[in-house]
Amino acid sequence: MVVHEAEPYNAEPPRCALADRPLTPLDAFYGRNHGPIPELDTSGWRLTVDGLVDRPAELTLDDLRGRFPHREIAATLQCAGNRRAELLDVRGIPGEHPWGPGAISTARWTGVRLADVLAAAALRPEAAHVAFAAPDVSRIAVPPQPFGGSIPVAKAVAGEVLLAWAMNGEPLPAAHGGPVRVVVPGWIGARSVKWLQRITAQAEPSRNYFQATAYRILPAGADPAAAGPGDGISLGPVSLNCDILRPAPGDQLPPGPAEISGYAFAGDNRTVARVDVSTDGGATWIQAELDAGNGPWTWRLWRAAVELPEGEAELVARAWDCTGTAQPESPGPLWNPKGYGNNSWARLRLTCRARTASRSS
Ligand SMILES: Nc1nc2c(c(=O)[nH]1)N[C@H]1C(S)=C(S)[C@@H](COP(=O)(O)O)O[C@H]1N2
Ligand SMILES: [Mo]
């Protein structure tokens, strides 16, 4: 793993650990934390459901498992800061991790639908947002507070949002939110709150720092240190993105036939429709082959057979989604003071030289 910070733990897999694996093994799944990882005792775990509901509840893990149908959904999680490193090349972003292309991973999640838990609690019509609270206190927050966030009711009652206790068939590891986390497919990772303890139905979005102040696109001229609650554009659904996983920067490849591969993720409830690949900086393009994916909420891996030129090659990949939208060409216009949402074309420069013949031949 490429560790950006040991405490709180923030790490991404290298490109080769994501490549050619539709599901990310647990030991390669990126980790994004704003505070210490709590070690919660499964038997003592309780989930409170309160706020604008007619039947508030306190549930144990056995209640959750026993009262609601189990669901399994494969979903890609992507941090809003994925690919920030390329925004840093545009202009500095102090205090944020320089994530490469690995702040994204895909797993099969098992749990119950948030929709079913909310139905049992009888949401009131005034409920417009569903807020999630966790116990991990973050000192990054102003003032320091536990991590939290919310999603609008329309997403909360859509069947894909899970309260998950397993990941790739294994009990949810503490590092990824065990005993139970929220999984909000298609939305930024920050809304998939780990170590879930409380679900509150409310009229307004969460006032938690990570909803009201952070994870927002501020205008380029804004001072993030002076940003207050409600400033900027609140991030929810993920935008269309892709990156190249093979080859990797620094790889030595000879001119001639080669394979390029990577991931493409449409986000929200869109799907990836096409990925184009270029070896000449975007002057000419061919279409990559897409894998089937694991249902509507995952990335799709792609590969393309190309002919590498002698000398400088600029590999480029760009995805299109089912609305006919393509990724933006360059990170420059996307730059924002907190460095979120870079979804510009993936680019990789290589120098392709013929391998020198060995002396004995
Ligand atoms: N309680 C809690 N939940 C959290 C976070 C956190 O710091 N605390 N980080 C969020 C962010 S920003 C992301 S991208 C994902 C990362 O999930 P992972 O560490 O399992 O990859 O968890 C989200 N849920
Ligand atoms: Mo994130």
Side-chain angles (χ1 to χ4, degrees):
M1 299 291 275
V2 180
V3 179
H4 294 293
E5 192 177 5
E7 189 55 53
Y9 183 69
N10 283 285
E12 64 181 298
R15 288 170 202 251
C16 60
L18 290 180
D20 307 322
R21 291 162 144 176
L23 297 177
T24 313
L26 295 192
D27 61 2
F29 204 100
Y30 81 98
R32 173 75 181 105
N33 298 292
H34 298 78
I37 294 174
E39 293 285 341
L40 302 179
D41 161 38
T42 301
S43 59
W45 181 82
R46 296 288 181 281
L47 175 63
T48 303
V49 185
D50 63 5
L52 299 173
V53 294
D54 285 333
R55 288 192 291 275
E58 195 177 88
L59 304 167
T60 65
L61 188 53
D62 285 343
D63 293 336
L64 208 60
R65 288 185 156 134
R67 294 190 197 168
F68 305 100
H70 294 190
R71 294 277 176 252
E72 194 172 270
I73 292 182
T76 298
L77 287 191
Q78 184 185 235
C79 184
N82 191 36
R83 305 182 64 213
R84 178 181 286 130
E86 295 156 75
L87 295 176
L88 285 164
D89 293 340
V90 176
R91 209 169 125 195
I93 302 173
E96 301 289 339
H97 299 304
W99 295 100
I104 183 170
S105 296
T106 301
R108 228 167 3 94
W109 309 93
T110 313
V112 297
R113 287 178 164 156
L114 175 59
D116 291 343
V117 173
L118 292 174
L123 266 188
R124 294 199 194 132
E126 317 89 85
H129 298 268
V130 174
F132 308 118
D136 54 320
V137 175
S138 172
R139 299 206 273 147
I140 301 162
V142 187
Q145 60 197 272
F147 190 88
S150 64
I151 56 175
V153 158
K155 181 69 177 177
V157 302
E160 69 271 14
V161 179
L162 295 187
L163 309 181
W165 58 72
M167 187 178 179
N168 292 349
E170 303 283 333
L172 191 61
H176 296 293
V180 175
R181 80 179 298 167
V182 188
V183 175
V184 185
W187 283 43
I188 60 163
R191 304 301 175 235
S192 291
V193 174
K194 302 192 271 190
W195 313 295
L196 180 66
Q197 285 188 326
R198 183 180 291 262
I199 297 175
T200 306
Q202 51 194 56
E204 305 291 335
S206 167
R207 279 198 275 271
N208 186 279
Y209 174 83
F210 296 102
Q211 177 84 40
T213 306
Y215 291 102
R216 288 173 166 266
I217 303 271
L218 299 171
D223 170 9
D231 286 354
I233 304 164
S234 178
L235 291 166
V238 166
S239 21
L240 174 67
N241 210 343
C242 86
D243 215 331
I244 299 167
L245 296 173
R246 279 192 218 279
D251 282 359
Q252 304 282 324
L253 292 178
E259 186 176 89
I260 308 181
S261 66
Y263 64 76
F265 183 48
D268 201 10
N269 42 20
R270 289 168 283 101
T271 52
V272 174
R274 199 176 90 202
V275 172
D276 300 334
V277 170
S278 170
T279 56
D280 53 15
T284 61
W285 300 89
I286 60 159
Q287 274 180 245
E289 256 176 65
L290 291 173
D291 80 353
N294 275 293
W297 305 108
T298 67
W299 60 17
R300 293 179 75 182
L301 301 182
W302 55 265
R303 59 181 66 231
V306 297
E307 205 47 42
L308 293 176
E310 167 87 47
E312 299 298 310
E314 187 181 7
L315 306 185
V316 190
R318 67 172 182 210
W320 298 73
D321 70 22
C322 59
T323 71
T325 300
Q327 292 175 250
E329 182 170 343
S330 65
L334 300 174
W335 189 94
N336 61 92
K338 298 275 281 179
Y340 300 127
N342 175 29
N343 72 331
S344 57
W345 295 359
R347 290 173 192 273
L348 185 69
R349 284 201 168 75
L350 291 177
T351 306
C352 308
R353 297 261 178 259
R355 294 206 169 98
T356 46
S358 70
R359 250 178 251 174
S360 59
S361 62

